[in-house]
Amino acid sequence: MAIDVEPTLFGDLADHRPLLVLLHAFPLDRRMWRPQVNGLAHILPVLTIDLPGFGRSIELEVAPNMDSWADAVAQAIEDRCQERPVVVCGLSMGGYVALHLVRRHRKLVSGLMLCDTRAEADTDEGRAARDAAILAIRERGMAPLAEAMLPKLLAPVADEATRDATRTLILEQPPDAARNALQTMRDRSDSRDLLPTLEIPVLIVVGSDDVLTPPADSEQMAASTPGSELVVIPHAGHLSNLEQPHAFNTAVSAFLGDAFLSG
Ligand code: MLT
């Protein structure tokens, strides 16, 4: 069977510390998590996963729907977790996958981080925009997508290095992967009903200047998720983990410390 999602493990699995699984945003790949790998892999093992078609993965055998993506991610985790607790952190599109993963593989997930994402399905307007983007990529490739998305992904205060790195990551993704992901996101189901049923530690993180999934979305998710914690990262847009890595990592390590690593 082809490799459906491409996982990379950092740190070691020698003891029974939880495994932190990082699921990336659209249209990027596992490399967007470099600041988290650098900042967190000494605390616990970290698994970054390329979602179908992105980065080093091969998409052919994963159907373009969130359930199939969640199943492929579950398989990648099961192959590596060695029965330790698994904490899943998804940013934006990665958050959509994380919610589908919890719905379909609840026993696999011991903790959840939902970053710069939302639980609702797309609106009709959102679906139409996905269709237009699919068409635009078919006709003109990734460059116009990169230019259109950069101002939405990053806050105006983001530095040039972050801007350049993000643009490069987008341009390196295969157009087929982007079209496939747009279809997968367009057709995803609503996950709001799941939130009140979560009985695991949940951290919700959002950049204060996120225009794609604004803080109001995160506030709603937090209000619907009993016992969840909400952290707003100042001076960050949608890619809060890349824009303010120190604040992001501090929030994540505090959550992991309280819920999984103390004692
Ligand atoms: C992402 O960052 O993954 C996307 O903006 C999500 C989306 O388009 O809904």
Side-chain angles (χ1 to χ4, degrees):
M1 178 169 158
I3 300 166
D4 297 319
V5 291
E6 177 64 31
T8 309
L9 181 67
F10 299 88
D12 67 72
L13 296 172
D15 55 33
H16 278 275
R17 287 171 304 165
L19 177 67
L20 175 62
V21 176
L22 301 175
L23 302 176
H24 63 82
F26 173 86
L28 306 172
D29 68 27
R30 70 189 188 290
R31 290 173 292 171
M32 72 165 242
W33 294 115
R34 191 164 295 144
Q36 284 61 54
V37 169
N38 290 342
L40 300 169
H42 65 284
I43 305 176
L44 78 182
V46 177
L47 188 70
T48 59
I49 291 183
D50 277 330
L51 291 169
F54 292 96
R56 295 186 308 206
S57 73
I58 300 166
E59 69 182 300
L60 294 179
E61 301 205 8
V62 183
N65 64 70
M66 280 292 164
D67 286 347
S68 301
W69 282 31
D71 292 351
V73 167
Q75 187 63 57
I77 297 173
E78 270 164 3
D79 288 349
R80 284 159 188 84
C81 73
Q82 299 175 356
E83 306 202 353
R84 73 193 59 237
V86 171
V87 182
V88 176
C89 171
L91 193 141
S92 199
M93 177 174 77
Y96 308 156
V97 179
L99 286 164
H100 283 71
L101 179 72
V102 173
R103 190 185 294 285
R104 292 174 69 81
H105 302 272
R106 196 174 272 248
K107 289 206 179 111
L108 191 61
V109 183
S110 300
L112 184 62
M113 292 181 226
L114 297 170
C115 311
D116 299 280
T117 192
R118 59 162 63 92
E120 295 94 305
D122 277 4
T123 58
D124 288 345
E125 198 187 350
R127 288 192 187 100
R130 303 272 192 215
D131 288 336
I134 289 170
L135 201 62
I137 294 169
R138 184 170 295 130
E139 287 172 355
R140 287 177 284 138
M142 295 298 280
L145 181 72
E147 291 322 309
M149 285 207 73
L150 271 176
K152 298 182 195 158
L153 290 173
L154 302 171
V157 295
D159 60 37
E160 236 6 80
T162 305
R163 222 165 271 287
D164 287 347
T166 306
R167 181 183 294 106
T168 302
L169 263 189
I170 296 175
L171 293 176
E172 285 178 3
Q173 305 310 317
D176 280 356
R179 292 209 313 264
N180 223 32
L182 284 162
Q183 182 184 338
T184 302
M185 290 191 286
R186 178 195 67 195
D187 299 340
R188 76 187 189 281
S189 55
D190 200 303
S191 295
R192 280 176 294 183
D193 63 307
L194 192 65
L195 299 176
T197 73
L198 295 177
E199 289 172 345
I200 51 177
V202 177
L203 174 67
I204 297 169
V205 178
V206 66
S208 59
D209 305 327
D210 185 344
V211 291
L212 284 174
T213 47
D217 291 345
S218 288
E219 283 160 19
Q220 266 178 21
M221 286 197 294
S224 305
T225 311
S228 63
E229 189 189 334
L230 171 65
V231 174
V232 180
I233 309 279
H235 313 298
H238 189 59
L239 298 181
S240 57
N241 72 304
L242 271 180
E243 294 174 72
Q244 298 296 341
H246 179 70
F248 187 96
N249 289 355
T250 302
V252 169
S253 13
F255 170 72
L256 290 169
D258 289 348
F260 296 97
L261 298 170
S262 52

